[in-house]
Amino acid sequence: MLRRMLCRAAVVAALGLGLGAAAAEARTVRWSASGDPNTMDPHSQNVGTVTMVLQQIYDPLISRKPDLSLEPGLATEWRQVEPSRWRFTLRQGVRFHEGEAFTSDDVVFSITRALQPTSNFGIFVDTIDRAEAVDAHTVDIITKAPDPILPNKLASVFMMSRSWSERNNAARPQNTRQREEMHTVRNTNGTGAFRLQSREPDVRTVLVRNNDWWGWREPQNRGNVTEIVYRPIASDATRVAALLSGEIDFVLDPPLQDLNRLRNAQGLRVLEGPEVRTLFIAFDTYRDELLYSDVRGRNPFRDLRVRQALYQAIDIQAIHRTTMRGQSVVTGTLFPEQVQGYAREEDVRLPFDANRARALLAEAGFPNGFEVTLDCSNNRYINDEQICQAIAAMWTRIGVRTRLNAMPLGPFFAKIQRDDTSVYMLGWGVPTLDALYSFQSLLATRNGAQGDGIWNYGRYSNPAMDALIQRMKVETGDQRQATIREALRLYRQDLPHIPLHHQMIPWALRANIQMPHTANNQPYFRWAVVN
Amino acid sequence: MKNFFDSDLWWSFTRSPVTMISAVTAFVCIAGAVLAPLLAPHNPFDLASLQLMDAFKPPAWTGEGDATYPLGTDDQGRDVLSAIMYGARVSLLVGFCAVLFSTTLGVALGLLAGYLGGRVDAVLMRIADIQLTFPSILVALLVDGVVRAALPRDVHDQIAIFVVIFAIGISNWPQFARTVRGSTLVERNKEYVQAARVIGLSPLRIMRSHVLPNVLGPVLVIATLNLGFAILAEATLSFLGVGVPPTQPSLGTLIRIGNDFLFSGEWWITIFPGVALIVMVLSVNLLGDWLRDALNPKLR
Amino acid sequence: MFAFIVSRILQALPVMLTVSLISFAMFAYVGDPVAIMLGQDFTEAQRQALVQQLGLDQPFFVQFATFLGNAVQGEFGLSYRLSRPVAELIAERAPATLELALCAAFIALAVGVPMGVYTGLYRHSWLSRFFLTFSLIGVSLPTFLIGILLILTFSVWLGWLPSFGRGDVARLGWWSTGFLSWSGIKALILPAITLGLFQLTLIMRLVRSEMLEVLRTDYIKFARARGLPNRMVHFGHALKNTLVPVITIAGLQLGAIIAFAIVTETVFQWPGMGLLFIQSVGAADIPVMAAYLMLIAAVFVTINLIVDLLYYAVDPRLRIGRGGGH
């Protein structure tokens, strides 16, 4: 009897050990989102779906912590030696996945590559004149003018190996024109925590742990994941079904309406967190007559009272509660608090007041309202079409009869980028986490200079705003903070936009996976712990 | 009228309870759709009447529901019942017009091919053959795509419904043409037609008054069965996002939108339009089936 | 025979040309690939450069002629979205769609034919009525709804079958197959049923009506009069005679199955050509869409040709001369 019990105990122990050992060997995370990266080239596409895979494989000079503040990456130190010269000290002993040692020459190469016209990363390197190697592990980056936020921008620029790239004819970023596809479209060679094992576009991308990664020595990188399998699923319903049925461990973009079900499901949890992305409505304030309206001879949106009326007609709390199911942060300003320059005093909305809105319209000479078409994307932002539908109904109620034109992102961007719009909704993310990025792209007068007003399709133009933006580019410290604050105040007075909300980006994952939620919507698997 | 009640058709109708039920159902569907502006409790297209705070109300009988919204509301606070009635209107309009279009086209071309024969016949039937092998959904996708490409978006949205009608209609004419051609070939050689020809009646007249009445039976059957297909085709196109614009949602559009809420507990947004679509198509199909059997004494 | 084939191929050519023109024209203006490729930040100069590089500033017919010239050589250029040769992408996806389509066709035939025979023979039994009602419901249910309901039942509630994808696939040369692994076979079940259901009901009703037709013929009456057992009459004589039209329709429907796979693949995220096509539509990926439509047209034309030849082989009347009434 006793012997039998002992035997059984031994078997149980052996089984337990066996299971433990198996679990230690393979910790796979299978994750999913709606889109698939369209390239593996690190400087070709500045798009979230590409970056979310590549940042597991490649490292920038400067990394981000879970709260998105900066921390040393491939550079251990950096400082501004002259106003226009930053010096970076590189980490020693770093190797690329294919074995090449990482040196200052690779940094010079990568910066130069990101500066090529075929690169889509211009906005992060546009102030850079050139990079110079000082010695094998020191690099200087010289900017055309003083650039106080260069480190923030460099956190988005990945480092490649010069010898590997040149050997594979990939010294320039992938150019969609070329008849032969480039090596970098399907192959990678980074210094990062994971390496690319296999990839079938739209089907499956498998990354495996790089045990030689320099970062595993750092205490914050406690991740124990050995394999990451990415499987895009475009259909919302199917993606949720796959998570519920256990075929997927982690969904980056669960549909809002399914969050409650996911929260209550056995073994799943929802990580909630904000995204650094703000949705707003922008007006054509440039033309003398709107393209899509029945008002002739004048442009109602040039009248501040009309813009204010439309602002106050929006019941943003209803949108927050119903359309966004609580997954939004209602705002009265241009960007959320994670962005350098945010000022809480300026984050105040005009109150929702339909009667006031009607009065303002009448005062502006539109007692019977008018007709207008609202342009909107229908697959770019969370519930974008539903938000626009709700807004169209709210505007119609005060007399501004709104036709909604909701399109997929391709035609939508094409349309607004031709300035072919009267009023549109846009969502703006701030990868640099600095106010200038938003002000410069969205509110500066378009003047042909790189970056100024390139996303200002309502062609809002105010010399006072332009002056403040130019100052933001060069000032530092408290002075710059004050300038941004002034610009934010002007934004509230002028109402070139109706701010709506900052997006929340809940992630849904299995309860046994621990990982920090990051506001740039980029999961960092080096921090993921699977129990 | 008396003739009708004496006819075999009526007799067979009264003998089949399933057919009677489906006839009543189809009638209710059609009446509800046609009279939607009068009968529907709300007007889902009147933006000014929508209240976002009323969104996601469950059906009235569930307790949390609201009696003004018998089948609940969708994500914008639209009454689901009214949306279904207006949506069925669009679906039926597209279905009927598409069938009418393919019937007219198919019958005309079929008569022509059968009566004239020769080269005209060969060419027409070859086109019909080729098109029959292409699934209607692909033809519809192609037609819709071409029009979409050719016209600016605003214009397209205004005429989208006609484009869908055309796309579905054009993809179904060969069935009619083939049947009519077959019957015409048979009729053409009958003595009374030969006689009519001899006395010098114009071919058009012969076709209209002698050949056409004899081929109407099978045409009616095909048309009824095609109505179900046309409604489904429209729903599928709308589900793929290339059908009618969302400003005039059909049942297919409602299902596509509601599909997003299938897992979240707001099942009524997609289930009711889905049920409405199935009931409508099913009753039409049952009627078509019965009609086919009743018109064909050999019980085909 | 030879002349017949040649004439059919000559008739197919204008079809292919029309389809290629349409497929190219169709998407030439729908979406702007430039905006998608450039991402969130770019300058006007970058945009112009890209437009020029892609040849999008050329007149329509120049673009079309270039396209056609390349297409004849099997060269459809690079996908705008994935920067890979289109021919390669389609070749990668074709096995998934073909395996799915074949399974669906198999289900449709394996279940549809017996059901059709049964309902044809025992017209008034309750099971026949059940089958007929079932088939009517099958015809009345949109494919996408069936797929969603199957996922809800078998993946989410019961957890028996996967809800998306192909499972583990094995590579046999350039062909990838899901038949060799358990997970691959499990993944195939729901999409194949979804895709096959409509065809199943179609084939069942077709077999039924053909059976009814044949059973009325003198030939069967004679067979019965000769005292042959029912079994012999039904399967030896009647079924055999219904098979020609059934095979024809089933063949023609194979094309329909491949086309309807667009819907099924969208619902199940099946990595086949249909999904590739829909994803390309979303990204305005013209080369992929054009190539897909041309490929589908080629498949249809081929199927049509084969069916014609089969008819020719089976039905001796066709060999005497194709003029005349029928």
Side-chain angles (χ1 to χ4, degrees):
Chain A
M1 188 67 202
L2 186 67
R3 190 187 290 167
R4 198 190 278 172
M5 274 174 68
L6 277 175
C7 273
R8 194 178 289 168
V11 169
V12 170
L15 274 175
L17 280 175
L19 285 175
E25 272 162 25
R27 284 196 183 87
T28 302
V29 174
R30 298 156 303 167
W31 66 302
S32 184
S34 54
D36 196 57
N38 51 6
T39 181
M40 290 284 112
D41 190 303
H43 301 137
S44 170
Q45 295 283 301
N46 176 21
V47 184
T49 31
V50 174
T51 320
M52 74 187 181
V53 172
L54 287 182
Q55 50 100 347
Q56 322 293 346
I57 301 171
Y58 286 97
D59 291 316
L61 284 178
I62 297 166
S63 301
R64 291 194 187 276
K65 295 183 192 164
D67 65 359
L68 300 186
S69 62
L70 301 179
E71 70 171 1
L74 288 175
T76 51
E77 273 176 61
W78 56 93
R79 64 199 162 92
Q80 220 165 349
V81 286
E82 288 165 29
S84 298
R85 179 182 287 264
W86 286 80
R87 176 156 297 172
F88 295 82
T89 310
L90 304 185
R91 201 175 283 278
Q92 308 259 352
V94 174
R95 287 194 175 275
F96 286 95
H97 295 157
E98 293 192 6
E100 304 88 347
F102 168 72
T103 65
S104 52
D105 191 38
D106 297 314
V107 179
V108 175
F109 169 77
S110 301
I111 298 286
T112 315
R113 192 173 188 270
L115 276 165
Q116 299 284 330
T118 50
S119 155
N120 193 214
F121 282 68
I123 192 93
F124 300 116
V125 291
D126 59 347
T127 55
I128 296 179
D129 182 46
R130 64 188 189 280
E132 285 175 358
V134 177
D135 62 45
H137 290 95
T138 313
V139 177
D140 279 0
I141 292 180
I142 296 101
T143 55
K144 295 169 192 155
D147 183 358
I149 57 162
L150 186 69
N152 291 50
K153 296 176 178 171
L154 287 180
S156 300
V157 181
F158 295 122
M159 293 297 128
M160 298 176 74
S161 158
R162 178 193 286 272
S163 58
W164 178 80
S165 305
E166 287 180 348
R167 197 163 62 236
N168 292 302
N169 293 321
R172 319 170 91 237
Q174 166 207 346
N175 179 337
T176 29
R177 159 75 171 171
Q178 268 152 344
R179 274 279 164 219
E180 311 103 4
E181 54 172 325
M182 265 179 97
H183 192 68
T184 46
V185 173
R186 276 200 277 180
N187 300 279
T188 63
N189 181 26
T191 56
F194 295 88
R195 70 177 83 212
L196 182 66
Q197 189 181 54
S198 69
R199 172 167 158 74
E200 290 168 72
D202 295 328
V203 181
R204 185 193 306 257
T205 303
V206 182
L207 307 184
V208 292
R209 187 183 174 95
N210 170 20
N211 280 318
D212 302 328
W213 185 46
W214 55 268
W216 296 127
R217 293 191 290 270
E218 312 279 320
Q220 71 272 30
N221 299 318
R222 315 180 291 119
N224 65 358
V225 175
T226 53
E227 187 187 38
I228 319 169
V229 181
Y230 178 70
R231 305 186 64 180
I233 307 178
S235 149
D236 278 354
T238 314
R239 198 159 62 250
V240 171
L243 183 67
L244 288 169
S245 64
E247 294 157 78
I248 291 290
D249 302 312
F250 167 32
V251 168
L252 186 68
D253 49 0
L256 297 186
Q257 62 272 9
D258 293 324
L259 288 181
N260 261 331
R261 188 190 161 98
L262 294 173
R263 275 191 202 103
N264 296 330
Q266 186 90 48
L268 293 182
R269 68 200 174 100
V270 173
L271 276 188
E272 293 184 13
E275 186 187 11
V276 187
R277 181 177 299 281
T278 307
L279 270 71
F280 57 83
I281 305 270
F283 301 101
D284 176 1
T285 54
Y286 177 82
R287 290 192 175 84
D288 293 324
E289 195 176 276
L290 290 176
L291 293 178
Y292 301 100
S293 166
D294 60 352
V295 180
R296 292 283 150 255
R298 63 182 286 209
N299 174 350
F301 295 148
R302 296 187 70 151
D303 189 323
L304 177 65
R305 289 169 297 191
V306 174
R307 300 201 296 273
Q308 193 183 331
L310 293 178
Y311 192 148
Q312 295 200 275
I314 294 177
D315 183 358
I316 193 74
Q317 290 302 336
I319 293 177
H320 169 72
R321 272 200 297 274
T322 308
T323 314
M324 303 306 290
R325 311 219 177 202
Q327 295 292 315
S328 67
V329 180
V330 169
T331 185
T333 189
L334 188 58
F335 41 73
E337 59 185 345
Q338 293 88 342
V339 174
Q340 173 69 30
Y342 174 82
R344 187 159 301 283
E345 316 81 77
E346 302 302 333
D347 192 354
V348 182
R349 282 186 72 84
L350 291 173
F352 162 57
D353 186 343
N355 292 329
R356 174 92 183 106
R358 283 189 202 97
L360 279 165
L361 272 186
E363 224 176 278
F366 298 100
N368 300 317
F370 54 91
E371 246 180 61
V372 73
T373 301
L374 170 64
D375 289 316
C376 213
S377 59
N378 62 13
N379 61 355
R380 177 66 187 89
Y381 312 111
I382 299 176
N383 288 352
D384 41 9
E385 186 173 358
Q386 288 90 321
I387 298 170
C388 287
Q389 279 180 11
I391 288 174
M394 290 165 181
W395 283 355
T396 304
R397 216 168 300 136
I398 64 158
V400 179
R401 296 170 300 279
T402 310
R403 282 189 359 128
L404 176 59
N405 180 24
M407 293 171 276
L409 73 145
F412 170 71
F413 282 141
K415 184 168 191 284
I416 63 169
Q417 279 161 7
R418 291 192 302 265
D419 300 322
D420 181 17
T421 180
S422 293
V423 54
Y424 59 97
M425 188 177 84
L426 194 68
W428 190 249
V430 192
T432 60
L433 295 183
D434 184 88
L436 177 64
Y437 187 84
S438 296
F439 275 111
Q440 185 185 5
S441 309
L442 300 174
L443 295 165
T445 305
R446 219 182 297 162
N447 56 12
Q450 192 154 28
D452 280 1
I454 52 172
W455 281 73
N456 178 1
Y457 301 116
R459 284 178 283 180
Y460 163 76
S461 177
N462 182 340
M465 183 64 90
D466 288 335
L468 290 168
I469 292 170
Q470 295 316 317
R471 274 165 57 196
M472 264 178 239
K473 287 183 183 172
V474 290
E475 286 173 353
T476 53
D478 289 347
Q479 197 187 8
R480 185 163 187 272
Q481 197 65 31
T483 306
I484 295 173
R485 177 96 178 264
E486 212 180 315
L488 285 174
R489 189 164 308 139
L490 187 58
Y491 178 72
R492 273 178 66 204
Q493 285 162 2
D494 250 7
L495 301 180
H497 300 161
I498 301 173
L500 299 172
H501 57 243
H502 314 304
Q503 273 187 183
M504 300 275 280
I505 36 164
W507 297 355
L509 62 169
R510 233 152 266 301
N512 65 341
I513 303 173
Q514 306 290 328
M515 70 190 292
H517 184 281
T518 36
N520 55 3
N521 211 13
Q522 300 280 324
Y524 290 83
F525 287 100
R526 57 179 186 253
W527 301 322
V529 178
V530 179
N531 299 316
Chain B
M1 203 63 198
K2 189 155 183 305
N3 263 344
F4 176 73
F5 286 110
D6 286 341
S7 69
D8 291 349
L9 208 60
W10 179 250
W11 183 79
S12 118
F13 183 77
T14 54
R15 284 280 308 268
S16 162
V18 175
T19 311
M20 279 162 35
I21 293 171
S22 49
V24 172
T25 319
F27 177 77
V28 170
C29 288
I30 293 172
V34 173
L35 301 177
L38 299 175
L39 296 180
H42 304 265
N43 177 1
F45 298 120
D46 178 13
L47 283 182
S49 75
L50 291 186
Q51 285 294 344
L52 193 54
M53 296 315 288
D54 283 345
F56 299 122
K57 285 251 193 296
W61 65 81
T62 56
E64 301 149 66
D66 188 330
T68 44
Y69 305 115
L71 299 184
T73 60
D74 72 355
D75 60 321
Q76 295 292 329
R78 260 188 296 262
D79 177 43
V80 171
L81 177 62
S82 313
I84 290 176
M85 291 172 81
Y86 277 85
R89 213 172 137 86
V90 178
S91 291
L92 278 173
L93 179 75
V94 171
F96 270 117
C97 293
V99 170
L100 195 68
F101 179 65
S102 41
T103 310
T104 319
L105 191 67
V107 169
L109 294 179
L111 280 176
L112 219 60
Y115 192 84
L116 297 179
R119 242 203 148 74
V120 180
D121 181 32
V123 170
L124 281 175
M125 284 306 109
R126 205 56 215 140
I127 296 175
D129 273 0
I130 291 167
Q131 214 200 305
L132 260 185
T133 57
F134 275 83
S136 50
I137 193 84
L138 208 67
V139 176
L141 267 173
L142 273 171
V143 171
D144 187 78
V146 171
V147 177
R148 211 169 267 265
L151 295 174
R153 199 188 157 82
D154 312 28
V155 183
H156 179 263
D157 268 8
Q158 281 160 21
I159 64 158
I161 204 155
F162 301 105
V163 175
V164 175
I165 290 170
F166 178 76
I168 297 173
I170 195 86
S171 59
N172 277 330
W173 69 269
Q175 273 183 307
F176 293 94
R178 279 193 157 183
T179 312
V180 171
R181 170 184 172 271
S183 308
T184 312
L185 279 177
V186 175
E187 298 293 325
R188 185 177 68 168
N189 297 321
K190 285 199 176 149
E191 279 149 21
Y192 72 97
V193 177
Q194 302 285 11
R197 215 186 265 194
V198 172
I199 62 167
L201 286 182
S202 78
L204 202 69
R205 179 104 187 259
I206 297 176
M207 278 195 269
R208 203 184 60 213
S209 49
H210 295 282
V211 182
L212 192 59
N214 285 298
V215 299
L216 276 185
V219 165
L220 189 62
V221 172
I222 301 177
T224 318
L225 289 174
N226 252 315
L227 181 61
F229 281 108
I231 294 172
L232 279 187
E234 185 279 325
T236 305
L237 285 180
S238 295
F239 180 77
L240 289 175
V242 294
V244 296
T247 44
Q248 291 168 293
S250 68
L251 288 177
T253 323
L254 292 178
I255 295 171
R256 174 170 62 104
I257 296 167
N259 190 17
D260 292 344
F261 304 103
L262 203 62
F263 291 111
S264 62
E266 285 114 1
W267 49 271
W268 59 90
I269 304 177
T270 188
I271 296 293
F272 289 133
V275 168
L277 178 72
I278 294 169
V279 166
M280 206 159 87
V281 176
L282 192 59
S283 58
V284 168
N285 280 347
L286 280 167
L287 276 180
D289 248 28
W290 161 78
L291 200 60
R292 182 180 55 193
D293 292 350
L295 284 180
N296 187 346
K298 282 181 294 183
L299 247 192
R300 204 172 179 221
Chain C
M1 179 78 185
F2 181 72
F4 177 65
I5 297 178
V6 169
S7 80
R8 280 299 148 106
I9 290 177
L10 282 180
Q11 281 168 339
L13 267 180
V15 179
M16 288 301 296
L17 201 67
T18 318
V19 171
S20 58
L21 176 65
I22 290 172
S23 61
F24 181 78
M26 173 170 178
F27 300 109
Y29 304 102
V30 170
D32 186 351
V34 176
I36 292 161
M37 277 190 281
L38 284 170
Q40 187 179 270
D41 308 289
F42 57 87
T43 61
E44 181 56 26
Q46 279 174 327
R47 200 182 74 84
Q48 289 297 340
L50 195 60
V51 165
Q52 212 171 16
Q53 282 174 350
L54 291 169
L56 297 176
D57 53 346
Q58 304 275 329
F60 177 82
F61 281 100
V62 175
Q63 287 187 48
F64 178 61
T66 317
F67 164 80
L68 208 58
N70 290 328
V72 170
Q73 303 160 36
E75 163 70 71
F76 288 94
L78 288 187
S79 150
Y80 291 160
R81 185 170 66 99
L82 295 163
S83 304
R84 295 185 46 203
V86 173
E88 198 181 302
L89 280 173
I90 289 187
E92 246 175 48
R93 303 304 180 85
T97 298
L98 292 178
E99 280 189 359
L100 177 62
L102 286 176
C103 281
F106 176 77
I107 290 176
L109 282 174
V111 183
V113 171
M115 276 168 76
V117 171
Y118 183 86
T119 49
L121 291 179
Y122 309 101
R123 270 200 344 243
H124 299 294
S125 84
W126 64 269
L127 193 60
S128 291
R129 285 172 192 216
F130 171 76
F131 282 162
L132 281 177
T133 317
F134 164 81
S135 85
L136 261 178
I137 295 175
V139 172
S140 311
L141 268 171
T143 315
F144 53 90
L145 216 55
I146 297 174
I148 291 164
L149 292 177
L150 286 178
I151 291 180
L152 207 58
T153 314
F154 292 100
S155 306
V156 178
W157 287 345
L158 298 173
W160 292 349
L161 296 167
S163 58
F164 79 103
R166 278 185 93 187
D168 295 325
V169 290
R171 296 208 163 274
L172 305 172
W174 63 274
W175 187 270
S176 69
T177 178
F179 287 136
L180 296 179
S181 73
W182 182 225
S183 84
I185 292 170
K186 278 206 309 199
L188 198 55
I189 297 174
L190 293 186
I193 291 177
T194 308
L195 187 55
L197 202 59
F198 184 81
Q199 310 298 332
L200 187 160
T201 57
L202 199 76
I203 285 174
M204 177 193 129
R205 293 161 75 89
L206 181 76
V207 171
R208 172 178 176 267
S209 67
E210 289 293 332
M211 278 299 271
L212 290 178
E213 185 101 319
V214 171
L215 285 175
R216 278 198 312 270
T217 54
D218 296 343
Y219 155 74
I220 294 293
K221 285 178 189 155
F222 280 130
R224 278 193 213 275
R226 267 167 51 205
L228 288 175
N230 264 347
R231 216 182 138 79
M232 185 76 179
V233 174
H234 292 161
F235 295 97
H237 293 76
L239 184 59
K240 216 172 86 186
N241 274 287
T242 60
L243 279 184
V244 173
V246 170
I247 288 173
T248 318
I249 299 287
L252 292 177
Q253 288 298 319
L254 194 63
I257 289 182
I258 293 176
F260 268 101
I262 294 179
V263 181
T264 311
E265 289 181 7
T266 309
V267 174
F268 286 95
Q269 293 294 299
W270 188 261
M273 297 185 292
L275 188 62
L276 180 71
F277 177 70
I278 283 288
Q279 284 168 337
S280 305
V281 170
D285 196 344
I286 298 167
V288 176
M289 292 184 290
Y292 172 80
L293 285 171
M294 288 186 67
L295 181 75
I296 290 291
V299 167
F300 285 129
V301 167
T302 314
I303 290 177
N304 213 8
L305 190 67
I306 292 172
V307 168
D308 273 349
L309 292 179
L310 276 181
Y311 246 95
Y312 189 84
V314 169
D315 194 337
R317 280 170 298 179
L318 288 176
R319 265 173 257 170
I320 301 165
R322 287 188 52 89
H326 194 74

